[in-house]
Amino acid sequence: MSDWVPTTCMRCAVGCGHMHQAPDKGSGIAVARGDVSHPVSRGMACSRGIRESQNPQGEWLQRPLVRRDGELVPTTWDVAVARALEALQDAKASSPHAVGILGSGQQTNEAAYLLGKLARGGIGTRNYDANTTLCMASAVTAYYQAFGSDAPPCTYDDIEEADRHIVWGANPAVAHPVMFRWIQQAADEAGVELITVDPMRSETAENSDHHVAPEPGKDLALARAVLAELVDSDRTDDEFIERATDGFDDLLDSLPSAEDAREEADVSEAAIELLASALDEQALLYWGMGINQHVQGTETARALIDLCLATGNLKPGSGPFSLTGQANSMGTRVVSSKGTWPGQRPFEDPDERQFIADEWGIPVDRLPDSTGPGPVGMVEAIDDEVEVVWTVATNPVAGMPEASAARERLEEATVIAQDAFHTETTAIADVVLPAATWGESEGTAINMERNVSRVRAATEQPSGIRSDLEIIATIGKRLAPDLFERHRPDPARVFDEFTALTVGTNADCSGIDYERLDDELAVRWPAPDEESAGGYRYHQELAGDGATAAPAERWSFPTATGRAQFSTGTQERLPEPTDEQFPVTLTTAREKDGYNTGIRSRSVEDPGPVVARINPRLIDEYDELVTENRLTVVSRRGRAEVELDPDAGVPEGMVWLSIHHPDTNRLTLPDTDPESDEPHFKQCAVRLESPTE
């Protein structure tokens, strides 16, 4: 066996340290285990992270492919790259915005940085985004609006300090098993409680002290009802509000009565009091895609932050903590020029645009003046504007809302699909570029608590594939030779180029380099020098001046006023409520062993039926339509045959489908949050029919 190689698990955004070992012969990972020396996870690792590192079940891409006479056929790298370049150059010649590029939270920081540099600085397209917008954009927008920065204030260190843990619209028992173990361990202490807010009794709710079940999609109403209760009972932290925030009076003017908001959310007074009492304590409030994937996702995330602000829960051991899904979603946001320039430099600021142009050595008018319409808008722009779509480590054919319509549009474009595995998107692509995956790539990633750590190759890349970094640089060198020095860039040099752009920013990473990461394994930003590392954000405890003076506290936010900002959003009507024709609510969520769109754990050609978790009483209502334990779920956009999994934890009027199955998004809505561009994946109206023949 080869030597052990320390690396980072890329299964989710917890960022656990792994040790990988390659086989004596061939490629791949022979053995994976947790790294006891890693400061993030201290040897802990989940079975899925280990299993998917060693033996992902997807169909590996081994050679470049091009479409000839309607069929994908193997070819050489020279031919595949030439085809991709021809399509990109032809589109760019008509307009830089004719090129659409979709990146991923599965890329390393180095690959994401180079892809953004090419998209924005080499091509100049506004039609560039990443699949992270499909899951995290509302939380990101909420953080910016409330705090002036996309920097979750909390860290994992706060988990054991909290007296109350409120998990709202998330299921970390399934999505983040190691982190959930920490939460459970903390909640096992005397006087510490775990509360889950979720319409269904999820795996997390099953392991909680309390479960609050609002009406699906009505989380904003519930959050406002809790705040109204806190205000009515005089339990807000007025001193903190006065010292550190703006906008509370405007919020009070817009706040519905506790009774009206409670009725909208359809929860009991006892549930409202349970949550209000939890916020009286030192509380960590976690949330996930159940909040973000909503047409009011940003406003709902803001409302959860408002609860923390109103109760003074914004210091170590407390605060609002968004749970990131993809392994390097945070890194994609910080490095990739997607929603901001590297280091969170504001995209629309002309001085920042000029700075980036100068650093990249290009004319400033080559850079787009808009971040773009988001992934949904980009796909909708095919034919009108977008001619070519280049996807990197993402699967929009299965992952976009109203997926059948998205597929039809993508089939009208020239698609260049870069991936390690065969997907629904590679199946329709005109050019397929096989990329290296975990254990074969060098770089870094950033977890949800802002820790940067190394991703290391434990094995040689199999013949016939190339790293994301090399593929992007090869295309970039031909498309924009003034931006790219070489076809095979050194990851450490790319990382240093990125960190140099972050000097003095809210996300300063300039004190981090590969040598420091080799020594410390993980370093949390902001780290403006080689001795510093970030901790809890926005709060500072100052030493008292004298034997009798108590330590003082100070809060500072990178907003225009230096204060945190309250919001005024209130619950609005869902985009597609149930009616007589479509009387059941569909929701989507992660399954235990799923991964993104499922291509590591299922067949692309024969995925089988999607499993539907449905309350047994609802199944009984449709008993005469059930055939061989199957029904068909029908929305206004599509239909999917499902296999029934009776689950009393699902509300009677709801159907639960896995986000990882390609049939699920045939049903979902294309409506998006106007502030974040994130789609409304969670609630739409469906009906149940007999299975199709």
Side-chain angles (χ1 to χ4, degrees), residues 1 38 53 72 75 115 130 174 215 224 334 361 408 413 443 481 539 542 551 564 569 618 668:
M1 302 291 287
H38 199 278
S53 295
L72 281 174
T75 190
L115 186 65
V174 163
E215 186 74 14
R224 289 311 191 209
V334 173
E408 290 175 4
H539 172 272
L542 307 174
L618 184 61
T668 53

Side-chain angles (χ1 to χ4, degrees), residues 6 29 72 112 116 175 181-182 222 245 312 317 382 385 401 456 609 630 692:
I29 303 301
L72 281 174
R181 200 176 311 170
W182 296 331
L222 177 56
T245 72
I382 292 173
E385 181 174 67
R456 292 180 175 87
R630 294 189 180 186
T692 55

Side-chain angles (χ1 to χ4, degrees), residues 610-627:
V610 58
V611 173
R613 293 163 69 173
I614 304 178
N615 192 290
R617 294 181 181 177
L618 184 61
I619 294 175
D620 288 344
E621 289 183 27
Y622 290 86
D623 181 65
E624 62 183 20
L625 300 180
V626 176
T627 303

Side-chain angles (χ1 to χ4, degrees), residues 6 38 76 104 111 123 146 327 337 421 461 464 480 482 489 605 620 657:
H38 199 278
T76 65
S104 169
I123 298 170
S337 303
F421 297 91
Q461 292 176 16
D482 53 345
E605 273 69 35
D620 288 344
L657 296 183

Side-chain angles (χ1 to χ4, degrees), residues 102-184:
L102 274 172
S104 169
Q106 295 304 304
Q107 297 173 268
T108 62
N109 289 317
E110 293 74 9
Y113 171 75
L114 275 197
L115 186 65
K117 183 179 182 181
L118 174 56
R120 300 302 200 191
I123 298 170
T125 182
R126 62 172 166 258
N127 286 305
Y128 162 62
D129 214 296
N131 60 13
T132 54
T133 296
L134 303 179
C135 54
M136 289 304 301
S138 294
V140 170
T141 306
Y143 277 141
Y144 272 116
Q145 292 177 356
F147 301 139
S149 172
D150 171 23
C154 315
T155 75
Y156 299 156
D157 295 336
D158 299 305
I159 294 174
E160 64 183 18
E161 300 298 324
D163 296 317
R164 294 291 184 274
H165 299 268
I166 307 170
V167 178
W168 198 318
N171 191 11
V174 163
H176 306 101
V178 170
M179 184 179 184
F180 187 63
R181 200 176 311 170
W182 296 331
I183 295 171
Q184 281 187 296

Side-chain angles (χ1 to χ4, degrees), residues 102-107 129-140 289 292-293 324-333 336 338-339 375 394 676 678-679:
L102 274 172
S104 169
Q106 295 304 304
Q107 297 173 268
D129 214 296
N131 60 13
T132 54
T133 296
L134 303 179
C135 54
M136 289 304 301
S138 294
V140 170
M289 289 194 290
N292 297 333
Q293 292 180 331
T324 305
Q326 293 190 79
N328 199 32
S329 179
M330 171 68 75
T332 302
R333 285 136 57 184
S336 72
K338 182 177 80 75
T394 190
S676 68
E678 183 161 349

Side-chain angles (χ1 to χ4, degrees), residues 34 63 99 152 185 203 243 271 324 353 356 393 514 518 629 673 676 684:
R63 294 186 61 184
V99 178
Q185 289 170 350
E203 292 84 348
R243 290 175 58 188
T324 305
R353 284 168 50 78
I356 293 296
Y514 275 29
D518 289 343
N629 199 41
D673 181 322
S676 68
C684 68

Side-chain angles (χ1 to χ4, degrees), residues 271-537:
I272 299 295
E273 177 55 32
L274 173 70
L275 292 168
S277 296
L279 290 158
D280 288 337
E281 307 292 333
Q282 188 163 281
L284 273 173
L285 200 167
Y286 316 83
W287 80 90
M289 289 194 290
I291 298 300
N292 297 333
Q293 292 180 331
H294 192 288
V295 288
Q296 288 187 276
T298 300
E299 289 184 320
T300 307
R302 289 290 305 274
L304 300 185
I305 294 172
D306 288 343
L307 289 174
C308 294
L309 294 178
T311 55
N313 275 300
L314 203 73
K315 57 186 177 182
S318 68
F321 200 168
S322 61
L323 301 182
T324 305
Q326 293 190 79
N328 199 32
S329 179
M330 171 68 75
T332 302
R333 285 136 57 184
V334 173
V335 313
S336 72
S337 303
K338 182 177 80 75
T340 63
W341 300 115
Q344 297 187 359
R345 295 181 181 275
F347 201 92
E348 67 280 358
D349 187 319
D351 293 335
E352 298 290 9
R353 284 168 50 78
Q354 187 64 60
F355 172 81
I356 293 296
D358 291 344
E359 290 296 308
W360 285 349
I362 60 173
V364 70
D365 59 4
R366 187 190 296 179
L367 299 175
D369 57 8
S370 165
T371 57
V376 172
M378 185 191 308
V379 172
E380 289 177 345
I382 292 173
D383 284 344
D384 293 334
E385 181 174 67
V386 175
E387 300 171 11
V388 175
V389 177
W390 177 11
T391 67
V392 181
T394 190
N395 185 17
V397 169
M400 296 290 286
E402 196 178 12
S404 296
R407 177 185 182 124
E408 290 175 4
R409 292 189 185 98
L410 285 163
E411 287 176 334
E412 294 300 314
T414 299
V415 174
I416 303 162
Q418 178 175 322
D419 211 307
F421 297 91
H422 179 46
T423 71
E424 283 78 13
T425 301
T426 65
I428 70 159
D430 299 280
V431 180
V432 177
L433 305 174
T437 185
W438 309 348
E440 303 164 352
S441 301
E442 294 284 337
T444 58
I446 306 177
N447 74 354
M448 73 175 83
E449 62 157 356
R450 295 176 274 113
N451 254 314
V452 184
S453 59
R454 284 292 310 278
V455 177
R456 292 180 175 87
T459 183
E460 295 293 327
Q461 292 176 16
S463 61
I465 71 168
R466 297 180 181 178
S467 71
D468 279 332
L469 201 65
E470 184 180 352
I471 297 169
I472 295 163
T474 297
I475 293 174
K477 182 68 175 172
R478 296 283 296 276
L479 280 178
D482 53 345
L483 276 181
F484 291 82
E485 296 180 0
R486 58 190 72 195
H487 296 288
R488 295 186 178 181
D490 174 25
R493 290 184 62 178
V494 176
F495 185 79
D496 290 344
E497 180 180 328
F498 149 67
T499 61
L501 297 180
T502 71
V503 174
T505 68
N506 294 330
D508 195 330
C509 296
S510 59
I512 308 174
D513 58 21
Y514 275 29
E515 183 176 356
R516 183 177 180 185
L517 292 175
D518 289 343
D519 291 339
E520 300 180 36
L521 299 183
V523 180
R524 189 183 296 118
W525 65 262
D529 57 67
E530 62 185 14
E531 301 296 328
S532 64
Y536 195 97
R537 292 290 281 158

